[in-house]
Amino acid sequence: MKPEKPTETSPDQGAGTGDRPLWREEFSIYKADERYVSRRQLTKFLTLTSLAMFAGNAWILVKSWLRSRVTYPERAIARAGEIPVDGVKLFEYPGPEDQCILVRTSEDRYVAFSQKCTHLSCAVYYSPAHHRIECPCHEGYFSIEDGSVLQGPPTRPLPRVVLERRGTDLVAIRMEAEREAR
Amino acid sequence: MNGPRVSPTRGLTAIDGAMALIVLLLVVQMWLLSATLDAYLAGHGDAALPGAVISGVLFLACGGLCLFVIRLEKLRRVGGAVDSGSSP
Ligand code: FES
């Protein structure tokens, strides 16, 4: 059990903070002091946590600034008529790691989305029977029209690949996130 | 050495109050971070700047309260106030 703090300053305690070694301030042998020390240390820890939160927000700011500067390549991904109605074609866009899915929904309508589910990144597929995009992992369903969430755990729509028809070629020109896709 | 004296019980109460305020600010900051992250992932880049600014202000407030706690403790030590409480 820790001793009570004496009412008089003991000789080895020093006259003030300047005289006391740092370790005596951080590891007090008195209960009364310890209550202050533990509170001070917890306060410092909480402030550092606050700094970490701020760093997280700053990181998001930098990432969104970098994202706004991204330029998308224009790439022919398929030829019109190459796939049948309700058929699909997988392709990579904008980078070689980014899997996307192209769906021919009617005779002359094509839509393309990122194939990565916005919930936990499973690969989605097109279900012609239900006319929607489905995620096999947790039964998340997306609209084939605009990629919006129809059902399931995802909260964000699938990023859409903007297509342009140039002659017989279908050209991917950029990606669109939620707000622009609406 | 003479300095401003801090009543021990009042000092502790003030420190507890400051800590409660810091926790409150932290909860707001946590919510802010998750909301900004969600908006960023949904493609709303314009939420990032206000999020970062407000988070910075909250951090400064936490830092101010932390300095207040440290200063209060130092005042108590320098002033030589003795805590009458003895329970751990
Ligand atoms: S990963 Fe697609 S619904 Fe969970």
Side-chain angles (χ1 to χ4, degrees), chain A residues 117 119-122 135 137-140 153-154:
Chain A
C117 178
H119 178 223
L120 291 176
S121 300
C122 285
C135 177
C137 290
H138 313 104
E139 297 187 0

Side-chain angles (χ1 to χ4, degrees), chain A residues 4 17 20 25 31-33 35-36 39-40 42-43 47 50 53-54 57 63-64 67 156 178-179, chain B residues 8 16 19 22 29-30 36 38 40-44 46 48 52 55-56 59 66 73 76-77 83 86:
Chain A
E4 298 298 325
T17 47
R20 295 170 92 183
E25 290 181 5
K31 262 190 297 188
D33 272 354
R35 286 194 292 183
Y36 280 88
R39 278 167 171 77
R40 169 162 46 86
L42 180 61
T43 307
T47 308
S50 172
M53 302 276 170
F54 172 56
N57 268 98
K63 288 284 282 183
S64 68
R67 188 169 67 179
R156 293 183 297 277
E178 177 187 26
R179 197 176 40 162
Chain B
D16 286 347
M19 282 172 63
I22 291 178
Q29 234 183 342
M30 260 180 229
T36 316
D38 195 50
Y40 166 74
L41 290 174
H44 297 258
D46 46 3
S55 187
F59 165 63
C66 181
E73 198 215 349
R76 184 195 71 98
R77 230 186 290 133
D83 197 336
S86 59

Side-chain angles (χ1 to χ4, degrees), chain B residues 8 10 17-19 27 42 51-52 55-58 63 70-71 75-76 80-81 83-86:
Chain B
R10 273 188 168 186
M19 282 172 63
V27 171
S55 187
V57 170
L58 291 174
I70 291 171
R71 206 174 116 77
L75 274 183
R76 184 195 71 98
D83 197 336
S84 52
S86 59

Side-chain angles (χ1 to χ4, degrees), chain B residues 1 3 11 17 23 28 30-33 36-38 41-47 50 55 61-62 65 68-69:
Chain B
M1 187 174 161
V23 169
V28 175
M30 260 180 229
W31 172 81
L32 193 67
L33 180 62
T36 316
L37 184 63
D38 195 50
L41 290 174
H44 297 258
D46 46 3
S55 187
C62 282
L65 286 168
F68 168 74
V69 168

Side-chain angles (χ1 to χ4, degrees), chain A residues 26-97:
Chain A
E26 293 296 330
F27 304 99
S28 174
I29 57 169
Y30 301 111
K31 262 190 297 188
D33 272 354
E34 197 183 58
R35 286 194 292 183
Y36 280 88
V37 172
S38 57
R39 278 167 171 77
R40 169 162 46 86
Q41 284 174 342
L42 180 61
T43 307
K44 281 182 182 171
F45 172 77
L46 291 177
T47 308
L48 277 179
T49 312
S50 172
L51 176 63
M53 302 276 170
F54 172 56
N57 268 98
W59 176 78
I60 292 173
L61 180 64
V62 171
K63 288 284 282 183
S64 68
W65 179 70
L66 288 177
R67 188 169 67 179
S68 68
R69 293 166 59 94
V70 164
T71 52
Y72 292 102
E74 294 192 355
R75 191 181 310 143
I77 53 164
R79 288 218 313 277
E82 184 184 325
I83 52 175
V85 174
D86 275 342
V88 300
K89 182 181 178 179
L90 301 182
F91 63 100
E92 289 90 35
Y93 187 80
E97 306 284 308

